[in-house]
Amino acid sequence: MTATAEASWPALPYGAWKDTYATLHMWLQVVGKVALAQAPPLNHCWSVALRVTPRGVATRSLPHGTRSFTIELDFIDHQLAVRASDGETRTLALAPRSVADFYRELMATLDAMHLPVKIRPWAVEVAQPVRLDRDTQHHAYDPEYANRLWRILVQIDRVFTASQCAFVGKSSPVNFFWGSFDLAVTRFSGRRAPPREGPEFERDAYSHEVISHGFWPGSGTLLEPAFYAYAAPEPPGLKDARVQPQAAYYHRQLGEFILPYDAVRQADAPDEMIHAFIDSTYERAADLAKWDRGALDRRGRA
């Protein structure tokens, strides 16, 4: 691998940064819950998801009375910045510190900027939910690995965005979801899905038929970074479908197609490998689910 490729697609071994990963996940839940408290309730939780920026990850513009503000975690200068529409900006350092300490300082910063926000301080979408304002267990921060994660997300955001150009149906932005800690992009058939059990946000996310593609650093039964693809509801026969590239496979416990990140970063053409994964999983899932591809795919238009 060339030095340029290594800079764009750095290694992200789960075991080497798992403590920073766990802490960063909780920090982002604090930030995400601020967005949840302030953002208008757009469909599928899009307004509260984070976005990848040229320096890190950030909220979208959040209204607060007649003002608005954003919160960005900068993984170049390793600081959190709160920027208000009246020009005021305040920062706090990203460094080894507990989640509880991070919570207190961020809330104090918002109060000092006359941007008070109240959140429900419980972590979500984790096996053992903790109170964020009392969490002293997670306190690691390795700036090198935080920066590596961001560099990877920059590349994937670029490729995921380009992958949507051939699809003219309803599609999500490329979102970073702070609950599940993954970067995802979703296509919709336009048809409603069968009612889904579970939390309200899941029922909203899967109210219509979807095919989703994403990336996450690993967790649970898959302790390595990977790309994923799934259809909801999953059509019969999908788990046995052949997809590209050769390194991709169907993970039966997760119910998703998986493409290991290491296979991508070591490839001669990482972008092409990701596109092959997205295109082939979309085509197999859409055909088996009988999506109207003539209406949804650009090449199918007259």
Side-chain angles (χ1 to χ4, degrees):
M1 177 177 289
T2 66
T4 300
E6 176 64 29
S8 299
W9 302 98
L12 194 69
Y14 178 88
W17 83 297
K18 62 182 181 180
D19 292 339
T20 292
Y21 175 12
T23 301
L24 190 56
H25 191 181
M26 295 301 101
W27 288 357
L28 288 178
Q29 293 225 4
V30 176
V31 173
K33 282 177 170 281
V34 171
L36 181 62
Q38 296 301 122
L42 295 180
N43 57 191
H44 315 304
C45 303
W46 292 349
S47 59
V48 303
L50 306 181
R51 58 187 176 85
V52 179
T53 75
R55 300 192 69 89
V57 294
T59 66
R60 289 164 172 78
S61 184
L62 303 174
H64 199 291
T66 59
R67 301 162 71 204
S68 63
F69 68 101
T70 62
I71 303 175
E72 180 177 28
L73 276 76
D74 180 333
F75 296 126
I76 297 176
D77 288 340
H78 300 286
Q79 63 181 13
L80 178 148
V82 181
R83 299 184 179 91
S85 56
D86 58 8
E88 184 175 6
T89 298
R90 298 201 184 191
T91 63
L92 60 93
L94 298 182
R97 62 166 70 197
S98 71
V99 177
D101 180 58
F102 177 90
Y103 175 96
R104 284 192 296 271
E105 186 166 356
L106 176 56
M107 292 304 174
T109 298
L110 292 172
D111 286 345
M113 297 175 71
H114 305 290
L115 296 168
V117 177
K118 291 184 178 181
I119 69 172
R120 184 176 183 274
W122 281 95
V124 297
E125 297 187 69
V126 291
Q128 297 179 326
V130 296
R131 278 196 61 136
L132 300 165
D133 57 342
R134 300 177 185 174
D135 180 6
T136 57
Q137 174 186 355
H138 302 107
H139 50 74
Y141 185 76
D142 184 328
E144 169 61 24
Y145 279 103
N147 180 267
R148 288 190 192 191
L149 172 68
W150 163 72
R151 281 151 53 198
I152 293 166
L153 294 179
V154 166
Q155 298 305 318
I156 297 172
D157 180 86
R158 173 181 60 79
V159 177
F160 277 7
T161 300
S163 77
Q164 295 298 87
C165 293
F167 187 78
V168 296
K170 175 182 172 180
S171 178
S172 76
V174 179
N175 290 313
F176 187 90
F177 290 105
W178 43 268
S180 49
F181 205 89
D182 62 333
L183 190 71
V185 64
T186 300
R187 304 178 187 192
F188 296 77
S189 72
R191 301 187 302 233
R192 293 197 69 89
R196 188 183 183 99
E197 295 183 0
E200 182 179 355
F201 76 89
E202 285 192 7
R203 297 197 302 271
D204 177 56
Y206 297 107
S207 61
H208 292 69
E209 294 178 344
V210 300
I211 297 172
S212 287
H213 297 93
F215 167 86
W216 92 112
S219 62
T221 61
L222 190 68
L223 299 181
E224 65 171 320
F227 296 86
Y228 64 80
Y230 65 86
E234 181 180 293
L238 182 59
K239 59 175 56 69
D240 298 316
R242 291 189 176 184
V243 301
Q244 297 295 323
Q246 188 173 359
Y249 65 95
Y250 188 86
H251 193 296
R252 300 209 170 233
Q253 188 171 353
L254 292 174
E256 301 174 355
F257 286 99
I258 296 296
L259 174 61
Y261 170 69
D262 280 347
V264 171
R265 66 178 294 269
Q266 294 168 8
D268 293 334
D271 289 24
E272 293 179 14
M273 181 174 280
I274 299 170
H275 280 297
F277 181 66
I278 292 172
D279 292 346
S280 65
T281 52
Y282 163 69
E283 289 167 4
R284 302 300 181 273
D287 287 345
L288 288 168
K290 296 180 171 54
W291 284 24
D292 184 359
R293 294 186 58 199
L296 298 172
D297 296 357
R298 187 179 298 277
R299 62 177 176 274
R301 302 181 73 186

